[in-house]
Amino acid sequence: MFIEVVTDPGADDMAMVERGMRESERTVTSDGPDDIRVGAFARSAENRVVGGINAVVGRLGLEIDALWVDDAHSGNGTGAKLLSGVEDFARSHGAGIAFLTTVDGREFYEANGYAVYAQLEAPESDSARYHMKKAL
């Protein structure tokens, strides 16, 4: 065996790590449905993706992995609609909590009902990583 550290990991390798992690989590969490990978997309009139959310609904609740809105569509409620749609889906599949990590979206998530439960300060920097949650 050898350890390989790379700066541009392949999608197949990363998918294997994620599958392995999720399978390991299943062995230590309570009974419940298998994880459901969820994506939601905001599309322009030309059918171009202008925003999206990537999440997992699982035994621990709704885990928001990423939420993005194109700058041209930011500030008009697109992000809140994406978030609400995924939360509704998660709720309908038994999730009671949503959680995420963000660096620059704290105010957005707080405006949508999330609260910081942990904060990790970056050394010698003004930035921080916020761990947030919301009861669904």
Side-chain angles (χ1 to χ4, degrees):
M1 177 176 73
F2 67 96
I3 305 299
E4 177 185 30
V5 178
V6 298
T7 59
D8 188 18
D12 290 343
D13 291 340
M14 293 307 293
M16 174 60 104
V17 170
E18 181 154 335
R19 279 192 305 274
M21 181 192 71
R22 299 273 181 214
E23 186 59 35
S24 177
E25 286 176 348
R26 283 188 190 99
T27 64
V28 296
T29 57
S30 62
D31 293 331
D34 289 337
D35 291 349
I36 304 168
R37 172 73 48 199
V38 181
F41 306 95
R43 296 184 182 273
S44 69
E46 299 79 27
N47 202 32
R48 186 174 65 86
V49 173
V50 296
I53 190 167
N54 181 12
V56 175
V57 178
R59 292 182 168 109
L60 298 176
L62 170 64
E63 182 175 4
I64 308 285
D65 291 329
L67 188 152
W68 162 80
V69 176
D70 183 86
D71 288 344
H73 297 272
S74 183
N76 68 1
T78 300
K81 289 175 188 171
L82 287 164
L83 192 58
S84 177
V86 170
E87 289 171 350
D88 288 345
F89 177 87
R91 213 177 278 109
S92 74
H93 285 80
I97 192 166
F99 56 97
L100 58 94
T101 300
T102 187
V103 174
D104 61 355
R106 179 180 177 175
E107 295 81 13
F108 166 78
Y109 289 109
E110 285 177 335
N112 285 279
Y114 286 75
V116 173
Y117 68 88
Q119 180 174 328
L120 179 61
E121 303 286 338
E124 301 179 26
S125 171
D126 291 337
S127 65
R129 183 173 300 268
Y130 302 100
H131 300 274
M132 304 183 79
K133 65 181 178 177
K134 174 183 178 179
L136 296 179

